[in-house]
Amino acid sequence: MPSHVLIMAAGQGTRMRSHRPKVLHRLGGLLLVEHVLRAAQSLVPKSTSVVIGHQAERVRAGLSGHKGLKFAVQLEQLGTGHALLQAMPLLRDQRGTLVVLSGDVPLIQPSTLRRLLATHHETSAAVTILTARVERPYGYGRVIRNGGRLIRIVEERDASDTQRRLNEINGGIYALDLEPLFNALGDILRAGAADEIYLPSLVTTCRSRGLPVETVEVTNPDEVRGINSQSELAEVRQIVRQSKNEELMAAGVTIEDPATTYVDMDVNVGPDTVIHPGVILEGRTHVGARCELHAGVRIVDSTVGDDVVVNNHCVIQRTRIERGARVGPFAHLRPETEVGENARIGNFVETKKTTLGQGSKANHLTYLGDATIGADVNVGAGTITCNYDGDAKHPTTIGNGVFIGSGTELVAPVSLEDGAYIAAGSCITDDVPAGALGVARNRQVNKGGWVGRRKAPSDQTTTGS
């Protein structure tokens, strides 16, 4: 039978104290709800739907990159059962099993969802619920059993003192047979202290109809941890970060201080790479083998080849760095930068939309924007490509083997052909032919005695009684 997935993402998350919808907070480089979507993909569902409500259009926009999603809107948040009813038009004509997930439970594992679905099918259950035994059950619905069999689920606010001492909780994840589902939902009335339609009430409804109800207990309670506050999000971030660092270290990466190393879920790092304290690797970054990333480096959505050294406190964004290159310290490589094999980017160098060819170097205090630079070029300290005229950006093209003296301004659009030399302190506004020396500076004039004549009489030092 086909499976379908429905993700609950309508809540406001008031305890987050944030204007951002709870499911759009980030964890390990992904939105909370994206973690859930990834786990659900392992079921190869026939359809995937999301119930949205609070800031619905913002949540829809946040998930715009996920093709094929369907959305149901819950205008009033009247409980999880009510949320499921809003999805009725999307699912009424479907057959099979519906897996209901929570958009704020990001640690759920694909293997657990497959086990839930397998148990549901093997037992021919109408409802199968994922449960967990936790040390701190506060805030969760409690699982009530009689002789080991599930009788009902009681919400925290409706539980008695005795029931609150139970530590088996409802994980908020369900497998439901679609055929009897909506008829059963229609029989559930608003109830409890919150006067809401509770989805766990399906347990009582199905049992009253003689339909089988089953449970699956997770082996790791963290899988069903819901995130309702900033402190809970921070706790889960620590779990995700530790898991990712352990994955990298198991693959041969040296992480000197895992507690201060932040690596997103989709980052790849090759073996024998050394990561020093305070390194942050974000997005879809790929770092090759035998690299060394020194303290304070931040790399975002970039590709770093093998044997690359990135010195302290560099920021690298949407950049490609080839094998054997060296960067930094204190360099800023902005989007669309390409650093060639064995090239050098030194301290306090900024690049943007620039290609630096093989073996070329810009070692000090330089800005290179909208520039294409060939192989074996020397860019002297303090060189600036003046690429913006106030209205538009213009390119600078530098050929192979060019030598640019210190303190040079290259006013784009301008081209320096192969082998050209530029005298230090020049302001180049015209193209320089191959093999030529470009000099663009005024002749120095020294005016003798100027300093003394400039001083006013009041500035002169006087003596007397």
Side-chain angles (χ1 to χ4, degrees):
M1 296 293 288
S3 62
H4 303 265
V5 168
L6 181 69
I7 299 175
M8 303 293 194
Q12 183 175 355
T14 54
R15 287 170 55 197
M16 297 294 288
R17 297 291 188 267
S18 171
H19 294 293
R20 181 185 306 158
K22 178 168 63 173
V23 296
L24 297 188
H25 283 262
R26 289 199 166 269
L27 172 68
L30 301 174
L31 303 175
L32 292 181
V33 68
E34 286 181 318
H35 286 267
V36 181
L37 280 169
R38 286 196 175 187
Q41 287 172 359
S42 68
L43 302 178
V44 194
K46 185 177 179 181
S47 71
T48 302
S49 305
V50 183
V51 179
I52 55 179
H54 176 66
Q55 296 193 49
E57 291 310 309
R58 188 172 177 183
V59 176
R60 192 194 301 264
L63 294 174
S64 61
H66 298 265
K67 304 304 179 186
L69 288 182
K70 300 177 181 179
F71 293 91
V73 180
Q74 185 185 23
L75 295 177
E76 287 187 278
Q77 279 72 65
L78 299 176
T80 50
H82 179 260
L84 186 51
L85 283 169
Q86 310 315 300
M88 186 183 297
L90 302 178
L91 298 166
R92 187 188 296 278
D93 298 329
Q94 301 294 336
R95 298 187 62 211
T97 303
L98 178 65
V99 178
V100 179
L101 304 170
S102 296
D104 60 354
V105 181
L107 298 184
I108 186 67
Q109 295 300 302
S111 58
T112 299
L113 293 183
R114 290 193 294 267
R115 185 160 64 95
L116 173 71
L117 202 56
T119 300
H120 184 75
H121 291 157
E122 291 166 3
T123 59
S124 299
V127 178
T128 305
I129 300 174
L130 204 63
T131 72
R133 297 184 187 274
V134 299
E135 293 181 1
R136 296 183 299 171
Y138 176 77
Y140 292 95
R142 304 302 200 279
V143 174
I144 311 299
R145 295 183 182 271
N146 185 4
R149 296 185 60 193
L150 174 65
I151 300 301
R152 62 194 177 106
I153 293 173
V154 178
E155 297 300 316
E156 164 85 21
R157 68 185 73 186
D158 301 320
S160 67
D161 291 341
T162 300
Q163 291 168 338
R164 285 177 181 155
R165 285 194 289 270
L166 298 173
N167 70 343
E168 187 180 12
I169 64 165
N170 171 23
I173 294 173
Y174 311 84
L176 310 169
D177 264 8
L178 276 170
E179 189 171 350
L181 172 61
F182 290 112
N183 288 334
L185 274 176
D187 291 344
I188 299 176
L189 302 177
R190 293 169 66 165
D195 192 29
E196 293 181 345
I197 300 175
Y198 293 135
L199 185 55
S201 297
L202 277 175
V203 173
T204 305
T205 301
C206 288
R207 285 184 59 81
S208 68
R209 295 183 176 189
L211 299 173
V213 177
E214 294 291 337
T215 62
V216 172
E217 184 177 336
V218 297
T219 55
N220 179 5
D222 284 336
E223 289 192 46
V224 296
R225 287 185 63 161
I227 294 177
N228 295 296
S229 66
Q230 296 288 354
S231 61
E232 290 175 351
L233 179 57
E235 290 175 1
V236 173
R237 279 201 181 106
Q238 187 174 4
I239 293 170
V240 170
R241 186 168 69 248
Q242 179 179 341
S243 176
K244 181 64 178 182
N245 287 343
E246 289 176 355
E247 172 193 317
L248 293 178
M249 289 186 287
V253 178
T254 297
I255 301 179
E256 292 191 343
D257 185 8
T260 62
T261 300
Y262 295 75
V263 183
D264 279 353
M265 299 284 292
D266 289 340
V267 172
N268 296 309
V269 182
D272 295 315
T273 286
V274 178
I275 300 178
H276 292 263
V279 169
I280 302 173
L281 305 177
E282 299 181 36
R284 296 184 178 274
T285 291
H286 173 81
V287 178
R290 301 175 303 280
C291 296
E292 188 158 15
L293 309 179
H294 286 273
V297 167
R298 177 176 178 237
I299 304 178
V300 184
D301 290 324
S302 297
T303 299
V304 179
D306 297 340
D307 304 299
V308 169
V309 175
V310 183
N311 288 301
N312 302 59
H313 304 294
C314 293
V315 177
I316 299 170
Q317 301 162 292
R318 288 169 46 199
T319 287
R320 184 176 186 87
I321 303 173
E322 300 292 349
R323 175 191 296 268
R326 297 179 68 92
V327 177
F330 299 100
H332 186 186
L333 276 54
R334 292 166 55 194
E336 299 183 63
T337 292
E338 295 186 17
V339 181
E341 190 170 330
N342 296 316
R344 301 288 185 265
I345 296 282
N347 51 287
F348 301 105
V349 174
E350 180 181 359
T351 64
K352 190 274 296 184
K353 201 174 181 180
T354 287
T355 299
L356 186 69
Q358 179 177 346
S360 293
K361 54 188 179 181
N363 281 330
H364 321 279
L365 303 161
T366 291
Y367 171 70
L368 302 172
D370 297 283
T372 302
I373 302 169
D376 300 315
V377 172
N378 180 83
V379 180
T383 295
I384 298 172
T385 57
C386 306
N387 56 326
Y388 183 50
D389 64 5
D391 293 312
K393 302 289 181 68
H394 300 283
T396 297
T397 303
I398 300 172
N400 298 325
V402 171
F403 183 95
I404 302 172
S406 299
T408 295
E409 297 172 352
L410 303 173
V411 182
V414 69
S415 177
L416 313 181
E417 298 183 8
D418 291 352
Y421 268 57
I422 306 299
S426 292
C427 180
I428 301 298
T429 58
D430 296 319
D431 294 347
V432 179
L437 170 64
V439 182
R441 59 191 184 200
N442 290 328
R443 183 177 298 276
Q444 180 174 326
V445 176
N446 296 331
K447 298 183 179 293
W450 181 86
V451 174
R453 293 193 299 272
R454 180 175 179 272
K455 287 187 176 181
S458 59
D459 294 330
Q460 303 296 327
T461 301
T462 59
T463 61
S465 58

